[in-house]
Amino acid sequence: MNLPPKEYTKQENIIADCLDEFGIRYSQQTSFPPYTVDFYVSEIQRVVEADGVYGHNIKRDRKRDEDLKEYPEIEGIIHITETTKKDIKDKLWLELNKLNQ
């Protein structure tokens, strides 16, 4: 059964634009069973999650993050709650620069 293509949220589209502007290759809606992550950046082994302004269920997200970190190809998860392009770009830039320290 073929599923229709996923409609991306505005926040996901902005994150994709920012990653593109930074020249970072990524995959969208990558499966790490039983989870699907919003973005996976294999070169830095990071997941980027578009959490929206309200975030998600904190307890469930902690469990999901712990489970995802069990995958050897995932070293960390970046949660984005910001919604404007400037704020998303700033947050991504800050998080990506932490990797160089």
Side-chain angles (χ1 to χ4, degrees):
M1 176 175 147
N2 290 328
L3 297 174
K6 181 186 183 304
E7 293 286 325
Y8 298 117
T9 66
K10 181 178 178 183
Q11 186 188 36
E12 289 171 328
N13 288 330
I14 293 171
I15 292 170
D17 287 344
C18 292
L19 292 171
D20 289 340
E21 286 179 26
F22 293 149
I24 296 174
R25 290 186 295 240
Y26 59 89
S27 301
Q28 253 180 296
Q29 299 300 312
T30 303
S31 181
F32 291 96
Y35 305 106
T36 299
V37 300
D38 294 328
F39 298 89
Y40 177 64
V41 183
S42 61
E43 289 179 37
I44 58 171
Q45 296 182 301
R46 293 295 187 276
V47 166
V48 179
E49 282 294 302
D51 287 343
V53 70
Y54 298 110
H56 294 131
N57 179 298
I58 293 171
K59 186 175 181 181
R60 186 185 67 222
D61 279 356
R62 273 196 207 124
K63 167 81 169 104
R64 180 177 188 261
D65 288 359
E66 288 172 15
D67 291 348
L68 286 171
K69 288 178 185 174
E70 292 297 317
Y71 281 87
E73 59 267 54
I74 297 176
E75 287 189 17
I77 300 164
I78 300 169
H79 290 276
I80 305 293
T81 56
E82 294 76 8
T83 56
T84 68
K85 183 164 186 175
K86 180 192 179 317
D87 290 343
I88 289 170
K89 193 172 189 178
D90 289 348
K91 170 76 175 204
L92 280 172
W93 186 254
L94 178 71
E95 292 296 325
L96 294 171
N97 278 312
K98 286 180 184 177
L99 301 176
N100 293 326
Q101 297 178 0

